[in-house]
Amino acid sequence: MRPEILNPLFAEVEALKGIGPGVAKTLAQLGLTRAIDLAYHLPTGTIERIRASVATREMLGRTIILDVTPFDSRLSAGRGPARIFAADCDGNTITLTFFNNPSWAKKQLPQGEKRTVSGKLEAYGDEWQIIHPEVMESGAEPPLSEAVYSLTQGLTNRRMRELALIAVERAPDLSEWIEPSLLAREGWRAWRSSLAEAHSDPLAGDARKRLAYDEVFANQLALMLIRRHARRRRGVPLAGDGRLTKALQLPYQLTGAQARVTQEIRGDMAQAAPMLRLLQGDVGSGKTLVALLAMLEAVEAGAQAAFLAPTEILARQHVATLQRQLDVIGVRVAILTGRDKGRARDAVLMGLADGSIDILVGTHAIFQEKVTYKKLGLVVIDEQHRFGVSQRLLLAEKAAHPPHLLVMTATPIPRTLTLTQFGEMDVSRLDEMPPGRTPVETRVISNEKLSEVVEGLGRHIASGGQAYWVCPLVEESEKSDSAAAEQRAEVLALRFGADKVGLVHGRMKGAEKDDVMAAFAAGRLAVLIATTVIEVGVDVPNSTLIVIEGAERFGLAQLHQLRGRVGRGTAASMCLLIRGQQLSETGRARLALMRETNDGFRIAEEDLRLRGPGEILGTKQSGEQAFRIATPEMVTEFVPIATADARLLLDRDGGLASERGRAARTALYLFERDQAISLIRSG
Ligand code: ADP
Ligand code: MG
């Protein structure tokens, strides 16, 4: 239960003085639904104004406060802008332009009456103008320096600030959870004062830093609680006898890294404490085989294994590969996704319950629903980044004897992020590629040369090659992505023949997607046009060319993933990054980095620096909460300290019962990491 002292902060915004349903709706658009959200909606900076008596050239580009008297106006017909001409006290004309609500503007600025306005003075041809000036009531004067908040339509900065401060008012004094020596060293103030200061003086960074530290600390403490809890639980030790793994016919030898990691996993699974292991390995490093060996280990020991894939397509691809390898050695594999219904589904559920199915492959459906296993011993999660901490926690909580857990990711995650996202897990790395791979050659090409790219694609196809063509993310909307892909598919189909060109996008039905993918994998299609649906895991070794349109709009880690679709066979592969013509310095640098290196870890570090953690982890998709206050730099700075501090606290006070321990619990609630609280060791 949340400590009562926090209740005022967790009330809906409508409970706050002066906030009705209308404002609440507006705030909800910013994701601000409770007082706490408002209180933590910190200013992004400040605006500085100069008080002017007359407008001068020197003031162009600055935000000024000026007294003016309107003398004329021009209203466009209909809903067009209003231009109001006003004079300062020296008679210089300033045009005040309003795009929205022109009649309101005219009422605010009656002719012949002096008013104080504030806004950015700009040159517009020979005229000087202020667009959307603030208009003061007579006698009122805006502050010279003001905190600036991110806003949405229908909310002024001033109002936002008022609302935030009302919420801050509600914040109680809280006992300190930060280690006293750290607090002293950083010179940080108490939580409540810091919160108030972050609003009143946004440029003084200390207050904000303290709040960010709190957030990182709460996150690390939660993970540490999960880890300790999991280590205490009794799972089932699983030790295989090697009969299945030996029978498995592999056309190749394990890489050194695969052999090493397999040993680490065996070691974990032989223990009663359930395994919690993260396996990181770049695209193509051979994680699937490691997972297969682990699953066979479980089956040899008389248990079942579940393999969770991120998408339907991948689940089907995995099940097909597994069946080919496992049928001959008598291991029974089945699939379960949201799409499997009726009899087939019932048969699978029955097989799981009576133990006649050894390995289940599926999507989230395998955990969301009432699936009972006879003896689930191992869960493998592939491409974890759509599967967050809270979901992993749920999984561990469900079974009487928690299964061993292996989480696999192809996104090379920078160390800091590994700690914030997977702090509860042990980490293995597949840092070696299977032999015989030729590195993918990457080129950056301007979209002016698209027709040459299409020519090149033609030659590639003529010589028997296959290719991916990835279409850009148009907006945040799947609909427009799909439309762009459809258009591209039409163009390429005209050029190469409709029977050679396939299309997959997010708005297609699962079965349709599968059919197209299957046709491509079987070599019946030469070109596969896709939105990022193909991002993870798809394996078609004969496809040695990938064209990525609008490359500058993708995250680097994402580009790296996409590029990993080629270079899977022994033939030389190529990745063409098509860029728009308007490219920023950073944009250029990012694409150049892709050309230079195939090192996923280097790329991920860079992406973290440039775009923040949400992009890398795909937390947006999973709904997993990211950090709301701590910036990537702050996370990087604080994670080592916060992790050590959380560990120390739990070593001394595992039940979080001391005064500081209880304060730390409050911090968990404050940052909504409180799922972990149920895991605190009692007594
Ligand atoms: P990822 O780590 O991206 O999931 P996969 O498991 O899909 O990689 O493996 C990529 C390709 O490498 C597959 O075609 C797989 O058969 C092949 N492969 C895996 N391990 C080896 C190995 N030890 N030697 C040669 N090829 C391998
Ligand atoms: Mg894979």
Side-chain angles (χ1 to χ4, degrees):
M1 277 272 284
R2 184 191 304 135
E4 249 168 60
I5 190 169
L6 292 181
N7 285 348
L9 280 176
F10 280 86
E12 303 287 307
V13 289
E14 281 193 58
L16 298 179
K17 162 173 106 237
I19 300 190
V23 184
K25 218 166 146 196
T26 309
L27 289 173
Q29 280 170 6
L30 289 166
L32 311 176
T33 58
R34 302 156 309 171
I36 179 95
D37 304 324
L38 268 176
Y40 272 131
H41 189 62
L42 301 181
T44 52
T46 57
I47 181 168
E48 306 297 331
R49 301 188 174 90
I50 21 181
R51 185 51 161 124
S53 51
V54 295
T56 65
R57 184 156 295 280
E58 286 68 56
M59 290 171 187
L60 285 173
R62 313 274 305 264
T63 302
I64 61 170
I65 308 167
L66 188 68
D67 295 335
V68 294
T69 310
F71 61 86
D72 195 6
S73 64
R74 193 177 309 145
L75 286 188
S76 315
R79 294 174 56 80
R83 292 156 60 75
I84 295 177
F85 306 104
D88 68 10
C89 69
D90 258 8
N92 303 305
T93 300
I94 321 284
T95 308
L96 307 173
T97 305
F98 295 86
F99 292 106
N100 320 320
N101 219 341
S103 49
W104 171 87
K106 250 202 110 185
K107 245 190 7 236
Q108 296 289 303
L109 291 156
Q111 276 186 27
E113 286 183 33
K114 193 154 125 186
R115 286 286 186 276
T116 303
V117 298
S118 170
K120 191 156 147 201
L121 186 67
E122 287 169 308
Y124 176 67
D126 293 338
E127 293 173 32
W128 286 353
Q129 76 165 348
I130 300 178
I131 298 176
H132 289 270
E134 278 186 75
V135 183
M136 294 329 122
E137 290 166 25
S138 63
E141 183 82 12
L144 291 177
S145 169
E146 190 180 0
V148 182
Y149 291 82
S150 64
L151 300 172
T152 183
Q153 181 93 39
L155 205 60
T156 64
N157 192 59
R158 190 137 327 145
R159 183 80 175 119
M160 182 75 240
R161 179 169 174 74
E162 274 169 24
L163 297 175
L165 293 183
I166 293 172
V168 172
E169 265 309 294
R170 295 205 144 201
D173 284 314
L174 297 175
S175 324
E176 191 53 73
W177 51 78
I178 295 183
E179 173 74 32
S181 62
L182 175 63
L183 201 68
R185 192 171 76 225
E186 298 288 345
W188 286 336
R189 301 166 63 193
W191 174 76
R192 191 180 192 285
S193 318
S194 299
L195 186 62
E197 196 182 323
H199 285 277
S200 63
D201 190 2
L203 293 183
D206 274 1
R208 198 193 177 96
K209 272 184 120 177
R210 188 230 137 103
L211 300 178
Y213 180 82
D214 292 343
E215 185 174 38
V216 176
F217 175 70
N219 188 71
Q220 297 315 101
L221 183 61
L223 290 176
M224 206 75 69
L225 282 169
I226 294 174
R227 177 175 179 85
R228 290 193 180 216
H229 171 77
R231 304 303 297 174
R232 280 197 309 273
R233 298 194 71 190
R234 286 193 67 77
V236 181
L238 297 174
D241 53 14
R243 92 197 119 86
L244 296 173
T245 45
K246 278 204 198 81
L248 195 66
Q249 300 284 332
L250 285 180
Y252 40 68
Q253 294 249 304
L254 295 190
T255 64
Q258 283 171 324
R260 190 192 69 237
V261 170
T262 301
Q263 278 315 317
E264 287 170 353
I265 292 171
R266 283 212 178 109
D268 283 356
M269 287 174 61
Q271 310 295 316
M275 167 167 76
L276 277 176
R277 190 166 285 277
L278 175 69
L279 173 57
Q280 295 192 320
D282 214 336
V283 221
S285 59
K287 292 184 293 298
T288 320
L289 181 55
V290 172
L292 172 58
L293 294 175
M295 292 193 290
L296 288 181
E297 181 88 8
V299 176
E300 284 171 9
Q304 295 164 300
F307 185 102
L308 179 69
T311 65
E312 181 93 28
I313 292 181
L314 287 170
R316 299 204 178 266
Q317 181 174 312
H318 278 310
V319 99
T321 329
L322 288 176
Q323 256 157 358
R324 224 176 307 128
Q325 289 168 298
L326 298 183
D327 278 355
V328 284
I329 57 173
V331 174
R332 291 145 307 179
V333 184
I335 185 164
L336 186 67
T337 73
R339 256 171 58 208
D340 297 295
K341 303 247 152 65
R343 285 244 181 92
R345 177 187 186 82
D346 293 343
V348 171
L349 291 181
M350 207 118 83
L352 289 170
D354 69 17
S356 58
I357 292 171
D358 300 309
I359 294 178
L360 179 69
V361 179
T363 54
H364 280 61
I366 67 180
F367 298 114
Q368 279 160 357
E369 315 199 7
K370 288 199 180 82
V371 183
T372 344
Y373 296 82
K374 179 150 187 260
K375 189 180 178 191
L376 180 62
L378 170 68
V379 173
V380 181
I381 299 175
D382 195 14
E383 311 297 355
Q384 55 61 44
H385 57 288
R386 318 254 157 112
F387 198 81
V389 180
S390 45
Q391 286 157 309
R392 297 200 298 270
L393 184 60
L394 210 70
L395 187 69
E397 282 305 281
K398 224 173 159 177
H401 291 288
H404 298 283
L405 180 63
L406 178 65
V407 175
M408 308 202 292
T409 169
T411 316
I413 306 171
R415 205 185 121 66
T416 348
L417 276 190
T418 309
L419 276 168
T420 57
Q421 302 300 309
F422 305 98
E424 90 275 26
M425 310 190 102
D426 300 303
V427 180
S428 296
R429 274 192 183 183
L430 274 184
D431 48 10
E432 181 186 351
M433 284 287 171
R437 300 277 165 85
T438 13
V440 181
E441 184 187 339
T442 301
R443 290 192 195 160
V444 181
I445 299 174
S446 157
N447 63 6
E448 287 167 304
K449 300 197 175 140
L450 204 62
S451 58
E452 287 166 43
V453 172
V454 175
E455 289 308 308
L457 175 61
R459 288 190 298 275
H460 180 76
I461 294 174
S463 66
Q466 288 176 279
Y468 297 102
W469 186 296
V470 181
C471 289
L473 305 152
V474 180
E475 281 159 24
E476 292 283 286
S477 126
E478 248 179 65
K479 192 168 171 189
S480 40
D481 289 354
S482 309
E486 268 161 13
Q487 260 178 21
R488 182 58 71 215
E490 266 170 41
V491 173
L492 294 180
L494 274 179
R495 178 78 169 66
F496 301 119
D499 56 332
K500 287 280 162 219
V501 175
L503 169 68
V504 283
H505 60 65
R507 281 162 52 92
M508 282 164 63
K509 289 232 167 59
E512 286 175 77
K513 271 192 269 194
D514 293 348
D515 288 348
V516 179
M517 294 296 300
F520 186 68
R524 290 196 300 278
L525 295 171
V527 188
L528 183 69
I529 293 149
T531 52
T532 45
V533 176
I534 61 163
E535 187 183 337
V536 281
V538 182
D539 194 14
V540 183
N542 187 46
S543 187
T544 52
L545 172 65
I546 184 165
V547 179
I548 304 174
E549 276 191 83
E552 73 273 16
R553 298 192 210 158
F554 290 94
L556 292 186
Q558 207 179 7
L559 286 179
H560 182 66
Q561 289 276 324
L562 287 169
R563 178 166 64 183
R565 296 307 109 221
V566 299
R568 309 209 127 210
T570 42
S573 293
M574 183 168 301
C575 170
L576 301 180
L577 301 176
I578 313 293
R579 62 164 176 85
Q581 285 148 54
Q582 246 114 56
L583 208 58
S584 64
E585 272 306 296
T586 337
R588 261 170 224 282
R590 296 173 72 233
L591 293 185
L593 182 73
M594 290 303 298
R595 203 174 49 212
E596 258 165 48
T597 183
N598 253 311
D599 179 345
F601 278 96
R602 212 181 129 203
I603 289 169
E605 295 285 353
E606 195 64 14
D607 221 19
L608 174 64
R609 208 170 60 73
L610 294 170
R611 313 208 348 159
E615 299 286 342
I616 298 183
L617 295 165
T619 42
K620 285 185 185 145
Q621 293 98 314
S622 78
E624 183 80 0
Q625 77 196 126
F627 293 102
R628 65 199 288 176
I629 297 168
T631 61
E633 293 75 36
M634 292 175 184
V635 173
T636 308
E637 180 183 348
F638 290 143
V639 150
I641 315 171
T643 310
D645 194 18
R647 188 176 293 129
L648 199 68
L649 175 62
L650 287 179
D651 281 345
R652 284 195 303 233
D653 178 17
L656 293 182
S658 66
E659 181 169 356
R660 193 178 154 223
R662 286 200 308 276
R665 288 180 188 231
T666 309
L668 290 172
Y669 281 106
L670 203 54
F671 288 99
E672 293 164 85
R673 285 349 191 237
D674 48 285
Q675 279 166 312
I677 289 192
S678 64
L679 307 181
I680 294 172
R681 192 210 313 242
S682 46

